[in-house]
Amino acid sequence: MYNWPFPISLTMIHMSFCASLAFLLVRVFRLVEPVTMSRDLYLSSVVPIGALYSLSLWLSNSAYIYLSVSFIQMLKALMPVAVYSIGVSFKKESFKTDTMVNMISISIGVAIAAYGEARFDTWGVMLQLGAVAFEATRLVLIQILLTSKGITLNPITSLYYVAPCCLAFLFVPWIFVEYPILRDSSSFHFDFVIFGTNSVCAFALNLAVFLLVGKTSALTMNVAGVVKDWLLIAFSWSVIKDTVTPINLFGYGLAFLGVAYYNHSKLQALKAKDAQKKAAQPDEESSRLLEEREGEGIGKRNESQK
């Protein structure tokens, strides 16, 4: 194991790499067009998102020091619960009893998984739950602050604007928490291979998300995320030799069923919305043809009167 317990420094390395590469793709190679954004919009929209993103990354990376990889993936199943709850509080989601029951079932499943965790650490759980809360708030703010203003950011332009802001926010705790230890540690040597490949993976993850959502949908991304969590649990159990208890699997299985049902409900609602749009199109087409015929009739009457 590499044994480098500096999550803020690791996150700053990721953000530095992503910001630099995004700058090259946008400003130098011009592969992606930048979004027109005023200073006020940047301060009111991007800065809060960058602050929440930095907190989410900091806490989630810190949780790996205290918890197993498999258990962290189980805790991440609470993300739909957090997003829905915060969306309801911000009045971006309508409260529905069946959806709330679904959210409660997911929470119960995660609680059972936590009860059966062999390496349970209260501080680590608090860090991961905090990361989930900040990430969910960030997603809701993106919808409120950016989508409502007609601005869409793909991961490259998102990193172009958000990564430098996130880096600035991380710099403050890094100065007081990790820099003194790194400064006094004579044994530390920056490994370009390890950190370089790690940063490339972080950037590739953002790009993969963009390509997947662009080719399919955000719902597919959620389903793929659930499959990814199961694969990570299997990988941590078989390769990293994390302890996964039967109670862990039972609890996460219950949470998984809740997440799957939530995704299914979203899919059904999306299909119903598309069906309504298709049903409305013939009516709009008929109204347009009727208006054209009436216009032609009026034109002919005017000609006959002349």
Side-chain angles (χ1 to χ4, degrees):
M1 185 176 291
Y2 200 76
N3 192 22
W4 198 70
F6 299 103
I8 305 177
S9 301
L10 179 62
T11 308
M12 290 180 69
I13 293 171
H14 288 171
M15 289 296 102
S16 300
F17 180 84
C18 291
S20 302
L21 190 53
F23 178 83
L24 290 174
L25 294 175
V26 173
R27 291 297 182 183
V28 179
F29 299 106
R30 300 187 182 277
L31 296 178
V32 180
E33 289 294 328
V35 177
T36 303
M37 188 176 300
S38 64
R39 179 181 177 182
D40 292 339
L41 182 60
Y42 183 86
L43 293 175
S44 64
S45 302
V46 176
V47 170
I49 291 172
L52 291 169
Y53 193 33
S54 64
L55 289 170
S56 173
L57 292 174
W58 174 16
L59 296 183
S60 62
N61 286 337
S62 299
Y64 283 96
I65 300 175
Y66 305 95
L67 303 175
S68 64
V69 175
S70 57
F71 185 45
I72 287 176
Q73 304 312 310
M74 295 177 189
L75 291 176
K76 285 182 179 180
L78 288 171
M79 182 61 71
V81 180
V83 172
Y84 177 75
S85 301
I86 294 173
V88 170
S89 63
F90 279 89
K91 297 182 179 179
K92 297 302 295 183
E93 293 277 353
S94 58
F95 179 84
K96 297 179 180 179
T97 304
D98 55 344
T99 304
M100 184 53 67
V101 170
N102 187 16
M103 297 297 105
I104 293 174
S105 69
I106 296 174
S107 302
I108 292 174
V110 174
I112 294 174
Y115 178 78
E117 174 61 20
R119 285 182 51 193
F120 185 88
D121 185 276
T122 303
W123 179 242
V125 171
M126 291 175 62
L127 288 173
Q128 185 56 45
L129 292 180
V132 169
F134 284 125
E135 178 65 12
T137 307
R138 183 182 75 91
L139 294 175
V140 174
L141 276 186
I142 289 176
Q143 182 181 3
I144 295 174
L145 298 176
L146 297 183
T147 307
S148 62
K149 296 179 181 179
I151 297 176
T152 56
L153 299 175
N154 62 52
I156 295 178
T157 54
S158 177
L159 289 173
Y160 175 76
Y161 289 107
V162 176
C165 180
C166 181
L167 186 62
F169 278 106
L170 288 170
F171 184 77
V172 177
W174 179 76
I175 284 291
F176 297 101
V177 178
E178 294 185 1
Y179 174 69
I181 302 175
L182 291 171
R183 180 191 56 198
D184 299 335
S185 175
S186 58
S187 61
F188 171 70
H189 298 285
F190 189 87
D191 192 326
F192 285 95
V193 176
I194 294 294
F195 291 106
T197 53
N198 200 266
S199 299
V200 169
C201 289
F203 184 85
L205 175 62
N206 285 277
L207 189 60
V209 169
F210 168 64
L211 293 175
L212 178 62
V213 174
K215 295 295 183 182
T216 56
S217 65
L219 181 64
T220 304
M221 178 61 204
N222 291 334
V223 176
V226 174
V227 176
K228 177 207 70 176
D229 290 341
W230 277 111
L231 291 175
L232 276 174
I233 292 172
F235 177 83
S236 63
W237 172 71
S238 60
V239 178
I240 308 178
K241 303 302 179 182
D242 279 344
T243 302
V244 180
T245 66
I247 299 179
N248 275 144
L249 294 178
F250 174 76
Y252 185 66
L254 181 61
F256 167 77
L257 292 176
V259 173
Y261 179 76
Y262 178 72
N263 289 333
H264 174 73
S265 301
K266 284 282 188 180
L267 179 61
Q268 294 301 114
L270 190 62
K271 287 182 177 180
K273 190 175 181 180
D274 290 340
Q276 289 178 354
K277 288 182 178 180
K278 291 180 180 179
Q281 285 179 354
D283 295 336
E284 294 175 356
E285 184 68 18
S286 301
S287 299
R288 186 181 63 81
L289 292 174
L290 182 60
E291 290 177 358
E292 289 179 355
R293 290 174 182 174
E294 290 179 352
E296 291 176 357
I298 293 173
K300 290 180 180 180
R301 286 196 296 270
N302 291 337
E303 289 180 0
S304 63
Q305 290 174 359
K306 292 179 181 179

